[in-house]
Amino acid sequence: VEGRRVAVVACEFRFLAGSIGIDAGERLVRAVERATRERLPLLAAPASGGTRMQEGTIAFLQMVKVAAAITEHKAAGLPYLVYLRHPTTGGVLASWGSLGHVTAAEPGALIGFLGPRVHEALYGEEFPAGVQLAENLLANGLVDAVLSAPQLAEVSARVLRVLCADGAAAGAAEAGGGPTGPGAGVRAAVRGGGAAAPTAAESIRRSREPARPGVRDLLRVAAVDVTPLSGTGAGEHDPGLLLALARVGGTPCVVLGHDRTRHAMDGPGQALGPGGLRTARRGMRIAAELGLPLLTVVDTAGAALSREAEEGGLAGEIARCLADMVALPAPTLCLLLGQGAGGAALALLPADRVLAARHAWLSPLPPEGASAILYRTTDRAYEIAGRQGVRSADLLAHGIVDRIVEEEDNGSGGGPDGFLVRLGVVLGAELAALRTQDPEERHAARRARHRGMGLPR
């Protein structure tokens, strides 16, 4: 670019809507790592429908490792510029599409967290017109410019003259880390957990039962010295996320949890919006500043999908949560307690250790949304979920989850509270063990964990 050597990554929308599967995610990460190694500015030009639904939950996790690689690239003091092309949606927008130092968009481009067809299939109505257009994102401060392709070279060169500390083109470096295949193949989801594991349909139904314990129930039964904190501390409060200080199983920690349940005194729970994600990032900062373990509790039917959420920067906040989580110096533990749908779940997932209740699950979208993408109907939701490998047993087999906590009491009594008591003991032990680990070794293990996601184990 005007004599400066740069690295470029771009999506090819004509192939499976530019979706990111396992091999595509690995190829992206290798490109970012090479740019970092050779000290090159990185230019990204996504145009994508997001996660490749045909490859299921393991493909969904590629967004974490791509975000982690870009976070390390930026931490090395190297520029990252993004040009959002038509269309850019889903997990791509909510990860590497929203982490740029400077971000521009193609004129008239459709840019949004959830594609219009999926929104209509899930909610029976069209998404408000004009909200997900590049020009509206510019008006709401979500991108820095709307530029046509012929303008990119001049603007990129001008920006890089400022952002590159040496003021000149980076020197050549030896090539390495060649890319893997282009990710054209569609892989069947791998299932695990044995015959005794519940079906995806059974776990999804169980996770959606109104009486199922939520994060507040967990704190009531398994924690002491609970101090709830309100909102971002800067004027925003989202009832979709609970932030608290507590001792869980005897270990002091910061707790972040999706609050999906209804409470007469506290108002109804709701889908997680951008304000809730900014609250989550407040909790991450507290944990980092005080060296306290961070416990995240995932239990969400999905992120808030509205004009306000889109204009409030929902996708960007998911991306920033991913970046903060993978780089957080404090010990981190994630509990998949119930539903784990989409980017709202992924935002709280990238921890040192991940536990799952037996009937918890994790999916790129609510199963009905995945069915709408693949078959233009929601009727095949459970079939798709089974193929995608969303169950706790599948997550354990893929290395996404480290341990499953059984929900049934095996005759010991106690009902739901008995499960929460047992869960509290497990969480306390896990948090205490994380605190004893060497911080550098723990962080290196976390990076390796997410870097290897989707690769042969």
Side-chain angles (χ1 to χ4, degrees):
V1 178
E2 292 192 3
R4 181 182 300 277
R5 189 163 173 256
V6 300
V8 178
V9 292
C11 294
E12 176 50 79
F13 192 82
R14 289 175 295 181
F15 183 78
L16 289 176
S19 57
I20 303 301
I22 298 168
D23 288 346
E26 175 65 15
R27 192 175 190 187
L28 272 168
V29 168
R30 291 196 181 200
V32 176
E33 289 174 341
R34 180 176 171 185
T36 306
R37 187 168 60 248
E38 299 188 15
R39 307 281 313 163
L40 298 177
L42 179 62
L43 281 58
S48 173
T51 298
R52 188 167 299 170
M53 293 296 120
Q54 295 92 332
E55 294 186 24
T57 296
I58 191 67
F60 185 38
L61 270 291
Q62 300 305 302
M63 303 306 174
V64 175
K65 71 189 231 182
V66 176
I70 288 171
T71 300
E72 292 193 354
H73 181 82
K74 294 167 66 176
L78 298 169
Y80 177 51
L81 310 185
V82 177
Y83 183 58
L84 300 171
R85 294 151 54 216
H86 174 73
T88 303
T89 63
V92 169
L93 181 63
S95 58
W96 53 289
S98 293
L99 293 176
H101 289 109
V102 179
T103 302
E106 181 183 1
L110 170 67
I111 301 167
F113 180 60
L114 190 66
R117 173 153 57 93
V118 178
H119 185 277
E120 185 172 357
L122 290 177
Y123 299 100
E125 61 182 15
E126 294 183 359
F127 199 80
V131 173
Q132 297 177 316
L133 289 182
E135 289 76 8
N136 190 50
L137 270 64
L138 177 62
N140 283 275
L142 300 175
V143 299
D144 300 300
V146 173
L147 302 172
S148 63
Q151 297 175 282
L152 289 179
E154 177 187 354
V155 174
S156 297
R158 185 193 330 136
V159 170
L160 292 175
R161 284 195 294 271
V162 176
L163 294 185
C164 292
D166 59 4
E174 61 184 58
T180 61
V186 176
R187 299 187 178 194
V190 178
R191 305 180 199 178
T199 65
E202 180 182 354
S203 285
I204 291 168
R205 291 190 187 102
R206 288 280 295 271
S207 73
R208 291 173 171 176
E209 291 175 353
R212 184 176 177 82
V215 63
R216 289 176 182 259
D217 301 300
L218 176 65
L219 292 180
R220 173 179 56 82
V221 173
V224 296
D225 298 331
V226 179
T227 302
L229 304 180
S230 180
T232 62
E236 282 185 290
H237 176 72
D238 183 344
L241 187 121
L242 179 143
L243 168 60
L245 308 177
R247 296 175 67 89
V248 178
T251 302
C253 60
V254 178
V255 180
L256 299 175
H258 296 116
D259 191 10
R260 60 164 178 80
T261 53
R262 294 182 176 273
H263 310 281
M265 296 183 64
D266 300 307
Q270 66 177 39
L272 191 65
L277 292 162
R278 285 187 277 271
T279 300
R281 294 176 64 211
R282 176 192 176 194
M284 295 174 198
R285 287 193 298 273
I286 293 173
E289 290 167 1
L290 299 178
L292 287 171
L294 177 72
L295 171 62
T296 65
V297 182
V298 173
D299 188 9
T300 177
L305 303 170
S306 64
R307 180 186 191 114
E308 292 75 20
E310 293 280 356
E311 294 181 348
L314 175 65
E317 287 303 325
I318 293 172
R320 285 182 280 276
C321 275
L322 292 176
D324 288 354
M325 281 283 287
V326 297
L328 199 71
T332 53
L333 176 67
C334 175
L335 169 65
L336 297 176
L337 183 58
Q339 299 185 80
L346 192 68
L348 303 187
L349 185 77
D352 297 311
R353 293 270 292 173
V354 181
L355 277 56
R358 171 57 74 182
H359 291 294
W361 52 274
L362 180 68
S363 172
L365 277 177
E368 293 79 5
S371 178
I373 286 177
L374 293 177
Y375 297 109
R376 297 183 181 269
T377 175
T378 60
D379 295 342
R380 301 176 69 173
Y382 292 147
E383 172 195 340
I384 298 301
R387 295 211 310 260
Q388 287 185 322
V390 307
R391 306 172 305 162
S392 60
D394 302 316
L395 304 177
L396 183 66
H398 280 307
I400 298 168
V401 160
D402 300 294
R403 183 176 181 179
I404 294 174
V405 181
E406 298 294 343
E407 300 185 29
E408 282 66 33
D409 56 25
N410 296 319
S412 62
D417 280 5
F419 160 60
L420 295 175
V421 169
R422 296 193 304 274
L423 187 56
V425 172
V426 172
L427 292 172
E430 292 276 355
L431 289 167
L434 286 170
R435 293 190 79 183
T436 66
Q437 294 181 7
D438 177 79
E440 291 187 6
E441 292 180 0
R442 178 173 40 74
H443 193 267
R446 184 195 304 164
R447 178 69 182 93
R449 171 195 186 97
H450 298 297
R451 176 62 185 84
M453 200 63 66
L455 299 179
R457 300 181 67 195

